[in-house]
Amino acid sequence: MSDIIRDFQIDIPESALDDLQTRLAMTRFPEKEPVADWSQGIPLAYVEQITNYWRETYDWRRCEAALNQYSHHMTEIDGLDIHFMHIRSPEASARPLIMTHGWPGSIIEFMDVIDPLTNPSAYGGDAKDAYHLVVPSLPGYGFSGKPVETGWGAKKIAKAWDVLMTRLGYDRYFAQGGDWGALVTSAIGVQNLGHCAGIHINLVVVGTPAEEILQNPTPDEQASLARFANYQTQGSGYAEIQRTKPQTLGYGLADSPVGQMAWILEKFQGWSDGAMTPDDSFDLDRLLDNIMFYWLNNAGASSARLYRESFGNPNVEDVHLPTGCSIFPNEIMAPSRRWAERRFKNLQYWGKPPKGGHFAAMEVPDLFLDEVRSCFGCMEL
């Protein structure tokens, strides 16, 4: 039956790790960039440094063991296998929460917040802030199946997540997400199928600013509009490639681990909060853990296809479900509250943490935890 939930354990064959070592050793690098910064992309010297660390020091088995301490499962939804972690809290009063990653992330993004969310008392927190967590891999990402037909955009994924939660026995739940996870979570809010009690997002996607904002923006709104304009002119090339020609891109990402690494790491530098290099803001092993999710599963093309499905025309329909938004300082899109309220009609929480960027759960986990707890703490299940 398609609604069966199967146990799953991550167990990468040693031959795949040997193949990676061979490919890393055989890497052909391009010439050095003619600039002294990251303006033309990730610098050669940094890529060589990370490649050497990947070859000589990094240990996938450490990551594999850390992941396998949690409960992993597979279930088929609409003909596609969905991989997810399901971590039940020891607290009887814990509330269900599904958390969704984005690109170029994975479930690795949430590794530092899983235990504090499921067992807050063990981390100096309050038992009332305990959650039963469901952490799925997006279709085409990680260990989830790869769609063989078009149609798996944010709207369809949102419906699949509702199926997943009810299949697990959660008739009422909360949903949280950043990046694509935020678009999926917002779509859950738009659809409002009767099971989700509230959402929290840390990428707030809204429609075109109202005329009053364009004509008389506040200083924060001016900064937000300028930052997004810079993203569109200097930082969105990856998205246009993935939106238009994901298959062509996929050949390079499937064949070269260094190519896949560079394609991802550049974003962890540009979308963090002031990092000169990605490992200024993130643990290097954790960065490579995330890259391995793409490399080991040959997910360069399949993950990019989500842009083909949903990036060109994102859903900005009204959301009437209780909503919380957290605006981290170096987020790509950072609308003002009055701007966000035009879409999110039941905005119950608005947070502006003092630091952090696009990958908040991974970059500033303590602040991320504060935001999630503050948001859902004011909502009823």
Side-chain angles (χ1 to χ4, degrees), residues 100-103 137-141 147 149-158 161 178-184 239 242-244 246-247 294 299-314:
T100 310
H101 68 86
W103 184 94
S137 294
L138 289 165
Y141 290 67
E149 298 175 343
T150 60
W152 275 97
K155 292 181 181 179
K156 184 168 183 173
I157 296 169
W161 278 194
D179 193 86
W180 279 114
L183 274 78
V184 170
Q242 297 195 151
R243 182 183 68 83
T244 56
Q247 186 68 20
Y294 288 82
S302 56
S303 62
R305 289 194 188 101
L306 184 49
Y307 285 76
R308 180 75 178 185
E309 295 287 351
S310 293
F311 189 79
N313 186 29

Side-chain angles (χ1 to χ4, degrees), residues 12 63 67 78 142 172 204 234:
I12 297 299
C63 176
L67 286 163
D78 288 342
R172 293 289 283 173
V204 183
Q234 300 297 322

